[in-house]
Amino acid sequence: MAGHSKWKNIQRRKNAQDSKRGKIFMKLAKDIFIAAKEGGGDPDMNPSLRLAVDKAKINNMPNENIDRAIKKATGNLDGVSYEELIYEGYGPGGTAVMVQIVTDNKNRAAAEVRHAFSKNGGNLGENGCVAFMFSRKGYIVIDRVQTAADEDEIMLEAIEAGAEEMETSNEAYEIYTEPEKFNEVRKQLEENGYVLETAEVTMIPETYTQLNEEEAKSMLNLVEMLENIEDVQDVYHNMDVDDELLDQL
């Protein structure tokens, strides 16, 4: 993990997801779902859910969409039973891929995920085949251009709040936490006046797989196809591509 910035990949992913209104709502629903799943469906008792709901309202997400995401996470959606699944596999060039699914029909979800892999030069694997290559971490980004604080100041405040480590790139300060410390660190940094560009609990690759141009094209197509599946909540991978090549693609 150390020494490899997620920042540009995060920004590209966000720009792609946020390019359409429907994509924005899908992302917001995912945030609400995960927060409610982990901390309960009452925003007054779940700070992460309150944050996700407030963000959804700022983006004019309809209340019925918000309520549906909460009910989906807490199992209170009448007549429908949802389950959360993780599919693992390999993408082009041997990249490790994990796909987070929330579905009421796992046979349909499995078929769609398998089709996306096979169409783009990948294949599904057994449970656990790539999970060991990722660590679940809290991940917080502070845009370096948007803050007047220097690296030492931010690092000290992050560590005091409970963060594990911080990496610095030209664009951003990237802060990593244990999942159970994430809300505490996020809250403390916000109270200290920092604007957080990204704040999420995610899967961080331990190592990365370098891809050439042809492999990168296929991998990007695979990720896009997976993210367009209705049941897919998130896609994690360890693709590494030179910035110049990725910009061209």
Side-chain angles (χ1 to χ4, degrees):
M1 177 177 68
H4 191 107
S5 172
K6 280 190 67 193
W7 171 251
K8 289 187 177 180
N9 283 337
I10 288 287
Q11 287 303 101
R12 289 187 181 93
R13 186 187 71 184
K14 286 177 63 180
N15 290 341
Q17 287 178 333
D18 294 348
S19 61
K20 298 180 181 179
R21 186 175 181 83
K23 289 285 187 179
I24 296 175
F25 286 173
M26 285 176 61
K27 182 179 188 304
L28 293 169
K30 179 205 76 173
D31 292 341
I32 292 170
F33 176 90
I34 292 175
K37 186 80 171 178
E38 293 182 348
D42 184 354
D44 293 331
M45 302 296 292
N46 183 347
S48 294
L49 180 58
R50 167 54 60 193
L51 181 68
V53 169
D54 288 346
K55 184 177 180 181
K57 290 182 176 179
I58 289 173
N59 284 277
N60 298 314
M61 186 174 182
N63 287 332
E64 63 184 37
N65 293 37
I66 295 172
D67 293 339
R68 182 178 177 85
I70 294 174
K71 289 177 180 178
K72 188 175 180 180
T74 55
N76 294 322
L77 197 61
D78 293 340
V80 182
S81 177
Y82 286 89
E83 57 183 321
E84 186 174 9
L85 305 167
I86 298 290
Y87 291 113
E88 302 176 40
Y90 301 93
T95 48
V97 183
M98 296 181 67
V99 186
Q100 181 186 7
I101 299 286
V102 178
T103 183
D104 62 343
N105 186 331
K106 64 180 181 182
N107 291 330
R108 178 192 66 217
E112 291 179 342
V113 170
R114 185 177 292 107
H115 175 67
F117 272 90
S118 62
K119 187 173 182 179
N120 295 284
N123 61 280
L124 279 178
E126 299 293 331
N127 288 342
C129 68
V130 300
F132 69 95
M133 301 173 67
F134 295 82
S135 295
R136 190 167 181 266
K137 296 288 183 181
Y139 178 68
I140 297 171
V141 173
I142 298 174
D143 190 333
R144 192 169 184 176
V145 177
Q146 300 298 321
T147 181
D150 61 26
E151 179 179 358
D152 291 339
E153 181 180 353
I154 294 178
M155 179 178 291
L156 179 61
E157 293 184 28
I159 297 300
E160 287 180 344
E164 277 190 319
E165 64 175 307
M166 186 180 84
E167 297 178 4
T168 302
S169 66
N170 292 332
E171 300 90 357
Y173 301 107
E174 298 172 279
I175 298 164
Y176 298 89
T177 78
E178 290 295 338
E180 58 270 18
K181 287 281 189 179
F182 169 73
N183 282 329
E184 181 180 342
V185 175
R186 176 189 57 77
K187 181 179 179 181
Q188 187 61 55
L189 290 173
E190 288 178 333
E191 290 180 351
N192 290 349
Y194 295 109
V195 176
L196 309 185
E197 184 70 20
T198 298
E200 62 182 358
V201 176
T202 186
M203 301 297 290
I204 305 293
E206 296 287 351
T207 59
Y208 289 80
T209 300
Q210 184 76 32
L211 301 183
N212 60 33
E213 181 175 354
E214 198 61 36
E215 293 167 339
K217 286 180 180 179
S218 296
M219 184 61 188
L220 290 172
N221 288 337
L222 170 60
V223 172
E224 182 178 6
M225 192 169 178
L226 287 170
E227 288 181 339
N228 284 332
I229 296 173
E230 182 178 355
D231 293 329
V232 170
Q233 296 292 332
D234 218 333
V235 180
Y236 310 105
H237 58 80
N238 71 341
M239 175 180 67
D240 187 18
V241 180
D242 292 338
D243 289 337
E244 183 178 348
L245 174 58
L246 198 53
D247 286 337
Q248 292 175 359
L249 296 176

